[in-house]
Amino acid sequence: DAGVTQSPTHLIKTRGQQVTLRCSPKSGHDTVSWYQQALGQGPQFIFQYYEEEERQRGNFPDRFSGHQFPNYSSELNVNALLLGDSALYLCASSLVRAGRTGELFFGEGSRLTVL
Amino acid sequence: GQQVMQIPQYQHVQEGEDFTTYCNSSTTLSNIQWYKQRPGGHPVFLIQLVKSGEVKKQKRLTFQFGEAKKNSSLHITATQTTDVGTYFCAKTGTASKLTFGTGTRLQVTL
């Protein structure tokens, strides 16, 4: 049973460029959340996708966008990259049950460096 | 910014010593989760606490949820080098949204 898989694992971009990160959730999970983790800090919620729609969004600018596909996989896109976007981007999958928050299963992350 | 504070930020212990990290919120929590992140790794779920005053144990780890549901603690008895990592508490919001605490980094030496 594959866990959460993310690609690429590492990438380097320059300011102003655009990046797309990909995530496949754990088998049987229908919800994907994306988190940004800067060095030495806790993960910060970016947004969550369920049934191919963005359900919730954290305090991130519109440069951050996403998508969920019918097979539940997801992409995170970041446009007009800034130096401050350098971070570990974590994808987490879960199976949402009404009224309860279950555990999140995190992928290994994509480490983005913006030069 | 972070709404959940953890103390201490960092602790260095000798193997065999005990360790405790505390998680404090200014608001009442519906429930709280704990995660461990090894150096260079990703967060791994440890436990979820739901009830006021709840205490749960996992081998050498003891988790506690405060009576007022505004704080929580994780205590490790007789630390081992495998306990090295950063421990995060996370408050749960609607659906699967988590707000992570500031984290406590644990270093264990022989």
Side-chain angles (χ1 to χ4, degrees), chain A residues 4-8 19-26 29-35 46-56 64-77 89-94 110:
Chain A
V4 180
T5 57
Q6 290 187 245
S7 64
V19 68
T20 298
L21 309 178
R22 296 175 177 82
C23 171
S24 291
K26 182 177 168 65
H29 283 185
D30 57 6
T31 301
V32 172
S33 302
W34 287 92
Y35 288 79
I46 303 175
F47 42 53
Q48 179 191 85
Y49 278 85
Y50 172 70
E51 292 187 338
E52 302 179 49
E53 290 190 0
E54 183 182 293
R55 291 184 73 195
Q56 292 193 74
F64 289 77
S65 63
H67 188 78
Q68 185 179 35
F69 299 94
N71 66 354
Y72 307 118
S73 67
S74 176
E75 286 182 352
L76 163 65
N77 300 290
Y89 288 85
L90 294 161
C91 170
S93 78
S94 58
S110 294

